Amino acid sequence: MSSMRLSDLGGKEIIGLDTGEKMGVISDSDLVIHPESGQIQSIILPGGSFFGFGKKREDIVIPWSSIVKIGPDMVIIQLNQQEIQVSQK
């Protein structure tokens, strides 16, 4: 992956590869950055429905390793239920 600015990620929609579901939009405050290396570790999606369920959910942490492709308008991820982490507020 070529380099990009943090601001380039903001506003991109997250799409699940397996379901094609729109999962949320990235904002600059939704990223977890490693304090020493400066690398992005994960993306946090704010609460709402997830994987087609209408129930309210907690924030979801998506590991950076789950990203399949970053396009001009969207980020495609492949995430299974075991990788889903609920953010501790």
Side-chain angles (χ1 to χ4, degrees):
M1 182 183 314
S2 63
S3 64
M4 68 173 22
R5 294 176 181 215
L6 182 61
S7 61
D8 292 339
L9 283 175
K12 292 188 188 290
E13 189 145 29
I14 296 179
I15 307 291
L17 178 65
D18 297 328
T19 63
E21 181 181 359
K22 295 177 181 180
M23 300 172 62
V25 177
I26 300 173
S27 74
D28 295 341
S29 61
D30 294 338
L31 302 174
V32 177
I33 299 173
H34 190 277
E36 293 175 15
S37 69
Q39 293 183 327
I40 299 171
Q41 294 180 309
S42 57
I43 299 169
I44 300 174
L45 289 180
S49 64
F50 191 61
F51 283 158
F53 298 106
K55 298 177 183 176
K56 191 76 171 161
R57 66 169 167 84
E58 297 292 323
D59 292 349
I60 300 296
V61 179
I62 299 173
W64 188 255
S65 60
S66 296
I67 293 176
V68 175
K69 177 79 175 169
I70 299 176
D73 299 319
M74 67 182 73
V75 175
I76 299 174
I77 65 163
Q78 188 164 30
L79 187 67
N80 60 47
Q81 291 289 352
Q82 290 78 24
E83 291 177 307
I84 297 172
Q85 298 176 7
V86 177
S87 162
Q88 301 299 318
K89 292 183 179 182

